[in-house]
Amino acid sequence: MDPAHGLIEGLLPRCTFPPAGTSVVCGVSGGADSSALVVLARAAGLDVHVVHIDHGLRAGGADEARMVGALANRFGASFRSTTVEIASGPNLEERARAARLAVLGPDALTAHTADDQAETVLLRLIRGAGVDGLGAMRPGPTKPMLGLRRFETERVCRTLGIHWVEDPSNVDPRFWRNRVRSEVLPLLSEIADRDVVPLLVRSAAHARSHDDALTDLLPDGDPQDTRWLRTLPADRARLVLRRWIAAQTGRPISSGATDRVMDVATHRTRGTDLEGGWHLGRTSGRLELRSLG
């Protein structure tokens, strides 16, 4: 058997791709993870549309776009590249993520792996996340590779002779995720005398299970109606609001942001900005979310 074929056939059962024949958009940076995403999505029988986004933050974006275009052509996927403007300044990662989402759309496939999941759990833990936040990313069709490790995506690329891009921003110590990846996870694995990534992934799955159970117990009502919210005990109102906001924005909010949201819901303040470029306001007793992007 061809080594590449055997490797891919061994990885696909651990992925959660949509059914064969589904038309999908894949966000592809040219790194090993997103390059492997194209390979595995095509092997899964999907109609793949590759989108490369140049954030304009470093030189070489055009060369990377050409590399991604050649990859798409090699594996029978369509391709387009687009440039977004992101100014330097605070919350650069959040603003870049929001810009990508605006281009790709909420149903695009991304190349997050189990290693990304473990990093997300730790990042949310040190930000004081609740159970919903510690559940991190939910496996499913839009995140089909959460069951794979980063070394496995690199193995796919090496086996197929795919040259991938090493983004220099991935080692920039200004970004928390990079320090968690290069410093915290190796130290935790050394202390535990084992690879802690599978353990953190398992903890995230437990948190999602508990969060789903809590959601089933929440009262029915309109989470935008502040009069109804104020009839609930504060802890239940917090949970209702956290789940409503997560459903609208695609991500949980921090405990600090939840406190500010409760201030809006209880008429202490009129509005507040949230992570990820959102604003929550109140008009005539109703809460309204709007994107600041």
Side-chain angles (χ1 to χ4, degrees):
M1 179 185 293
D2 173 29
H5 178 77
L7 173 61
I8 291 168
E9 289 299 305
L11 296 178
L12 280 176
R14 292 160 48 204
C15 298
T16 56
F17 285 107
T22 303
S23 181
V24 297
V25 171
C26 291
V28 180
S29 66
D33 294 343
S34 60
S35 297
L37 174 66
V38 176
V39 174
L40 292 168
R42 290 294 295 139
L46 303 180
D47 178 20
V48 176
H49 305 277
V50 169
V51 178
H52 174 268
I53 300 173
D54 181 357
H55 296 89
L57 297 173
R58 65 178 190 275
D63 292 335
E64 292 169 9
R66 282 191 288 271
M67 286 180 60
V68 174
L71 175 74
N73 182 66
R74 175 179 171 184
F75 290 96
S78 66
F79 170 74
R80 71 180 175 94
S81 180
T82 187
T83 300
V84 296
E85 295 295 330
I86 303 175
S88 298
N91 300 319
L92 184 61
E93 287 179 297
E94 288 290 346
R95 290 186 288 112
R97 178 185 179 278
R100 287 194 298 273
L101 182 61
V103 172
L104 297 173
D107 298 323
L109 275 59
T110 59
H112 295 95
T113 65
D115 298 82
D116 295 301
Q117 184 78 309
E119 294 161 11
T120 300
V121 172
L122 291 176
L123 285 167
R124 292 186 177 176
L125 181 65
I126 61 179
R127 287 171 173 147
V131 173
D132 51 347
L134 295 178
M137 295 176 279
R138 190 173 290 271
T142 63
K143 292 181 172 56
M145 302 198 322
L146 284 178
L148 305 184
R149 297 296 301 274
R150 190 170 290 136
F151 70 81
E152 292 176 308
T153 66
E154 293 178 356
R155 184 182 298 163
V156 168
C157 292
R158 283 195 297 269
T159 302
L160 290 167
I162 296 170
H163 299 286
W164 67 84
V165 175
E166 293 287 1
D167 184 347
S169 69
N170 286 339
V171 295
D172 189 333
R174 291 179 300 167
F175 303 131
W176 285 19
R177 182 176 291 273
N178 292 343
R179 297 198 66 183
V180 166
R181 178 180 302 155
S182 64
E183 300 175 43
V184 178
L185 275 169
L187 178 58
L188 287 175
S189 294
E190 179 184 336
I191 292 170
D193 196 26
R194 63 184 298 188
D195 181 2
V196 298
V197 167
L199 305 181
L200 291 166
V201 169
R202 187 190 311 164
S203 293
H206 290 322
R208 289 194 302 275
S209 177
H210 288 298
D211 186 54
D212 290 343
L214 281 173
T215 300
D216 291 340
L217 296 174
L218 290 178
D220 291 328
D222 182 355
Q224 294 179 256
D225 184 349
T226 62
R227 287 168 295 183
W228 175 72
L229 287 168
R230 285 185 288 168
T231 67
L232 302 177
D235 56 348
R236 293 194 181 185
R238 288 174 68 91
L239 286 171
V240 167
L241 286 167
R242 287 176 65 87
R243 278 150 184 75
W244 172 62
I245 291 171
Q248 300 301 309
T249 65
R251 58 179 299 161
I253 59 174
S254 67
S255 296
T258 305
D259 292 339
R260 299 196 305 274
V261 167
M262 284 293 290
D263 285 342
V264 178
T266 54
H267 294 216
R268 294 188 183 95
T269 59
R270 292 298 300 268
T272 185
D273 290 342
L274 304 176
E275 300 100 329
W278 292 84
H279 179 82
L280 177 77
R282 188 187 71 253
T283 304
S284 301
R286 291 193 61 78
L287 301 179
E288 297 179 351
L289 268 175
R290 62 181 176 86
S291 174
L292 298 175

